[in-house]
Amino acid sequence: MLRFLAILLATTFLLFSSFSSDAQRTYCNPMDIGYRYNFEQLNEQISYRSGADPVIVNHKGEYYLFVTISGGYWHSKDLSHWDFVTPDKWPFEDMCAPAALSVRDTLFLFQSTFEQRPILYSVAPEKGKLQFYNRWLPRLPKDIGPWDPALFHDEDTDKWFMYWGSSNVYPIFGAELDPKRRLTYAGPYQSMFWLDPWKHGWERFGPNHADLMKPFVEGAWMTKYNKKYYLQYGAPGTEYNVYATGTYVGNDPLGPWEYAPYNPISYKPGGFMNGAGHGNTFQDNYGNYWNTGTPWIGVNWPMERRLAMFPAGFDADDQMYANTRFGDFPHYLPTRKWQRKDELFTGWMLLSYRKPVTASSVKDTLRAEYVTDENPRTYWVARQNRAGEWLTIDLQQPSEVQAVQINYTDYKNNVYNSDSTVYTQFKLLHSLDGKNWQLLTDLAKEKKRDRACAYVELPQAIRTRHIRYEHGYTAGPNLAISDMRVFGKGSGKQPATPGNLRVVRQKDERNADIRWEKVPGAVGYNIRWGITPDKLYQTYQIWHDQPNALELRALNVGVSYSFAIEAFNETGVSSLSSVVLIK
C-alpha cells in the first residue's frame, strides 16, 4: 500500500511539474502576453510595461496582434500563445495605435502619424519581413492626422478606405483609398461624426463619466456585417474605468451614419479589469466574432494599460455587442462556432477575493492583503526582489482550484527595454493543511518570457485550501504584485437571486439610480441592462462589500432600457432577477 501511494505521489508530481501552458484550454483577461517596457518616460525615470490600442488580424488562419509602442508585434495560432516578432523594418519612433488589415495573401500595416509615413505590407508576417507598399501618403492639414488609423477593404466592391481620429476637437474622419496608386487618398477626406456627450451619457469624460472636460473620440474600426457598415470608435478617455467602444451604422462605407441606440457595444467599468475601449473586431477560424479593448492600469503613468479580448457578435436584429460579463474571469478558447453569447465562460469563480494572505516579507506599508482586493492599483512589495520570496492565500475552506493569475506591478522600476534580461519565473504550490506543500507549476521549466499578467490553467482541478506563490525572477529592483487571483469552485450552493431591484431614471436621462437587496454569502453582483429585456448585453460588476447602490451615468437620451441583476459567489451565479423597465 505504501509503495502504491509513493508511486501515485510521484506520478502526480511529474504531472504538475511538467505541465506546460501549451495545454491550456482557457484564457483570462488581461491578456497574458509579453507587454513591452515603454521608453517614452525615460527622461522622467518612470518605468512601466504597457499595451494599448490592440488590433488582432486573422491572416491565413493565424493571428497577428499589433499594439501601441511595442517595437514589433505578436503571432499566435490559437489566440492563447503569443510569440513576439521583431520585424526587419519598423519606424524609428515606433508605432502608436497601428492599423492592420489582411487582404488575400497580404497583411497591410500603417502607423498613426501627423507626418508623411509609408504603408507597409508583408506576405510572410510570421517571419517579420515587411516591405514598403507606398513610400508616403500625402500630408494632411495640421493636427488632422491620420492618427489612430484603420484600414478597410470592402470585399463586395473591391474598394479601400481609411478611417482615423484621436481628438476632443476633431471628429472621426474617413477617406477612400486608390488601389491603382498604391493606396493613396482617392479624394478628399470627410467628417464621419463627432461625440455628443449631451445625449450619450457614456461619452462623458472622467471616472464614472463625472468630469466636465470635453471627451476624446478615437480608435476607429470598420466591420461589415449583413451588408451594413459598423464604424466603431473609442470614448471618452483611455485613462478611466469607463473607456468604451461604440458604433455608428450605415449603408455606405462613408455614411451617412446613424448612431446605434444600444451603445456602448463594449463596456466594462467594474470588477478587476476596468475599461474596454479602443480595440478592433475580428473573426476567428470558426467564424466567431471577437472584440478587443484597452483596460486601464494607471499606476506609474496615466497611459499605463493592458489588453483584453471579449466574445462578440451580432444578434438576430443585427445589433452588435461584446460580452464583458465576467470579462476578467477565465473563458474557454474557441474550438467551434458558438451558439450562445455566454458559452465560453468556464463557470470558474473567483475564490481569492479578500481572503487572508501572508508574505515572506513586506516593504514599507505595501501589504500582502492588497493582492486579494481585486484592484490593480494597490499592490504588495517584497523587501527584496530575490528568489524564494513568497505569498500564501488561505481560501478558508477546501475548494476545487482550476487556475491562478499573477498580476505584477512595476514599482519604482528601472527597466526601459524588454531585452533578454526581462522574463518571469515563479512556482505555484498548494496545500490542504498549510504545512505539506505540493508543486502545481514551475515557470522555470518553460521558455523564458515576460508575463506581467501570468495566467496558469491547471490540467485538472485540485482540491486544496492554500495556494502559494514562490518567487523565482523578475527584472528590476523590486518584486511587486498587485493581484493573485485564484479561480475554481467553492463548496456550498450558488447564491439566491437579489430582490427588490429598483431603477429610477434621473431628470437628466443619461443617469439612473439603481438599488437592490444584498444576498447573504454573495461575493458580488452583475447589474445587467440593454434596450429590450432579451438584449441585456451591458454589465456593471459590483462587489458585495460595496454599497448596494449605483449611479449609472452611461445611458442614451430618448432610449428606454431594461435592467436585471444577478448575484455570484465562489460556487456559481444566481438566476437573473425580474426585469425592470425604465423609459
Side-chain angles (χ1 to χ4, degrees):
M1 183 66 179
L2 289 175
R3 184 170 179 269
F4 170 78
L5 288 175
I7 293 172
L8 180 62
L9 286 172
T11 303
T12 302
F13 173 82
L14 287 173
L15 171 66
F16 287 103
S17 63
S18 63
F19 170 62
S20 166
S21 60
D22 291 341
Q24 283 191 184
R25 302 168 296 137
T26 64
Y27 76 98
C28 187
N29 289 318
M31 291 174 63
D32 184 1
I33 70 164
Y35 293 91
R36 312 293 282 182
Y37 275 97
N38 193 307
F39 62 82
E40 286 186 301
Q41 279 70 49
L42 174 60
N43 291 338
E44 289 81 12
Q45 294 293 288
I46 301 173
S47 165
Y48 62 96
R49 284 166 285 194
S50 188
D53 317 321
V55 172
I56 295 179
V57 175
N58 186 337
H59 179 64
K60 296 193 292 188
E62 298 183 359
Y63 306 99
Y64 294 86
L65 168 62
F66 300 88
V67 180
T68 285
I69 308 181
S70 295
Y73 51 88
W74 286 264
H75 173 221
S76 175
K77 295 183 179 181
D78 61 2
L79 293 175
S80 175
H81 309 95
W82 295 93
D83 296 318
F84 188 74
V85 178
T86 302
D88 59 3
K89 291 181 181 64
W90 204 252
F92 179 77
E93 68 272 30
D94 215 317
M95 284 199 180
C96 283
L101 178 68
S102 174
V103 179
R104 293 181 280 271
D105 67 341
T106 304
L107 192 148
F108 295 85
L109 183 63
F110 183 60
Q111 68 185 100
S112 293
T113 182
F114 291 108
E115 306 297 332
Q116 290 180 291
R117 292 292 184 268
I119 291 178
L120 302 170
Y121 79 98
S122 179
V123 293
E126 74 281 3
K127 299 177 181 178
K129 296 187 178 298
L130 298 178
Q131 302 179 63
F132 294 109
Y133 193 74
N134 62 26
R135 283 291 177 174
W136 306 112
L137 282 174
R139 188 189 302 272
L140 297 178
K142 185 177 183 294
D143 298 331
I144 293 297
W147 201 267
D148 284 10
L151 295 168
F152 172 64
H153 174 248
D154 192 335
E155 294 181 352
D156 295 327
T157 63
D158 200 27
K159 291 184 177 181
W160 296 70
F161 300 87
M162 182 186 289
Y163 307 90
W164 68 90
S166 179
S167 174
N168 66 349
V169 175
Y170 297 105
I172 292 291
F173 293 105
E176 186 174 350
L177 304 180
D178 187 349
K180 295 179 180 179
R181 295 189 297 131
R182 312 294 286 181
L183 297 183
T184 191
Y185 301 114
Y189 62 89
Q190 303 175 39
S191 299
M192 299 290 100
F193 51 79
W194 279 262
L195 295 182
D196 190 355
W198 296 107
K199 292 183 180 179
H200 313 148
W202 72 275
E203 291 179 354
R204 287 176 289 180
F205 199 64
N208 294 310
H209 310 293
D211 197 307
L212 295 179
M213 180 176 172
K214 195 173 181 181
F216 287 77
V217 63
E218 51 198 3
W221 182 264
M222 174 62 79
T223 301
K224 186 176 183 180
Y225 178 79
N226 200 15
K227 299 183 179 180
K228 297 178 182 178
Y229 299 87
Y230 294 76
L231 182 49
Q232 300 164 223
Y233 63 102
T238 188
E239 65 270 45
Y240 295 108
N241 67 314
V242 291
Y243 196 36
T245 293
T247 191
Y248 278 72
V249 185
N251 295 316
D252 184 89
L254 293 178
W257 299 104
E258 181 179 349
Y259 178 78
Y262 48 80
N263 277 328
I265 57 171
S266 186
Y267 188 62
K268 195 182 180 304
F272 168 68
M273 185 192 67
N274 304 147
H278 196 153
N280 81 310
T281 300
F282 70 97
Q283 285 183 277
D284 64 28
N285 292 332
Y286 307 97
N288 304 301
Y289 282 94
W290 295 81
N291 185 264
T292 64
T294 305
W296 166 64
I297 300 295
V299 172
N300 297 284
W301 194 253
M303 304 301 178
E304 181 183 10
R305 295 160 291 178
R306 295 290 186 261
L307 308 179
M309 64 179 192
F310 306 104
F314 299 85
D315 67 16
D317 298 317
D318 293 349
Q319 178 174 331
M320 190 178 192
Y321 65 87
N323 188 8
T324 63
R325 175 178 174 260
F326 294 114
D328 48 27
F329 284 31
H331 278 64
Y332 289 113
L333 292 162
T335 58
R336 59 184 175 85
K337 181 75 172 177
W338 64 69
Q339 304 301 316
R340 296 175 293 103
K341 68 180 182 65
D342 292 310
E343 190 172 317
L344 294 186
F345 176 44
T346 60
W348 301 347
M349 308 309 294
L350 183 67
L351 304 177
S352 49
Y353 184 63
R354 299 290 187 185
K355 293 300 174 65
V357 188
T358 53
S360 55
S361 66
V362 175
K363 188 172 187 176
D364 301 328
T365 59
L366 303 170
R367 304 185 298 273
E369 66 193 62
Y370 291 138
V371 305
T372 59
D373 68 358
E374 289 288 291
N375 182 354
R377 286 163 288 282
T378 61
Y379 39 87
W380 162 75
V381 181
R383 191 171 294 123
Q384 297 182 59
N385 183 2
R386 63 180 180 183
E389 296 278 359
W390 53 264
L391 284 168
T392 299
I393 297 177
D394 181 359
L395 302 179
Q396 297 185 306
Q397 63 178 353
S399 303
E400 302 293 324
V401 174
Q402 293 273 11
V404 180
Q405 186 188 56
I406 306 295
N407 293 273
Y408 291 90
T409 298
D410 286 303
Y411 175 75
K412 295 184 179 180
N413 217 333
N414 59 5
V415 181
Y416 300 94
N417 180 33
S418 293
D419 58 20
S420 61
T421 67
V422 177
Y423 59 92
T424 305
Q425 289 183 344
F426 61 80
K427 295 179 182 178
L428 291 176
L429 303 99
H430 80 98
S431 172
L432 266 172
D433 58 10
K435 299 177 181 178
N436 299 294
W437 295 91
Q438 295 183 3
L439 183 69
L440 286 175
T441 192
D442 184 354
L443 265 62
K445 297 182 181 298
E446 68 172 34
K447 179 182 176 182
K448 286 183 179 179
R449 58 190 177 110
D450 194 28
R451 302 179 67 179
C453 305
Y455 173 67
V456 177
E457 175 197 338
L458 305 182
Q460 61 188 43
I462 293 295
R463 185 165 179 79
T464 192
R465 173 171 168 170
H466 304 270
I467 299 293
R468 172 169 289 184
Y469 165 94
E470 185 176 297
H471 187 55
Y473 175 87
T474 56
N478 291 295
L479 165 61
I481 293 175
S482 71
D483 289 85
M484 180 174 167
R485 310 175 72 215
V486 182
F487 297 98
K489 289 282 188 179
S491 59
K493 297 180 179 180
Q494 65 188 34
T497 302
N500 200 20
L501 176 65
R502 289 156 289 168
V503 183
V504 178
R505 201 160 193 172
Q506 296 179 7
K507 183 177 180 180
D508 183 342
E509 292 184 24
R510 299 172 296 176
N511 309 330
D513 295 309
I514 306 171
R515 290 185 174 274
W516 63 95
E517 291 180 352
K518 287 191 173 185
V519 174
V523 172
Y525 307 90
N526 288 327
I527 298 168
R528 299 172 59 185
W529 74 96
I531 60 172
T532 62
D534 60 339
K535 297 178 184 289
L536 304 180
Y537 297 146
Q538 304 292 357
T539 302
Y540 202 127
Q541 184 176 304
I542 303 288
W543 300 110
H544 179 73
D545 54 10
Q546 294 175 316
N548 56 324
L550 173 69
E551 182 187 38
L552 181 65
R553 300 170 57 85
L555 306 182
N556 296 301
V557 172
V559 178
S560 299
Y561 287 93
S562 299
F563 284 84
I565 189 171
E566 62 190 4
F568 62 90
N569 62 10
E570 297 177 359
T571 302
V573 187
S574 75
S575 58
L576 199 61
S577 73
S578 299
V579 173
V580 174
L581 303 176
I582 63 169
K583 293 185 178 182

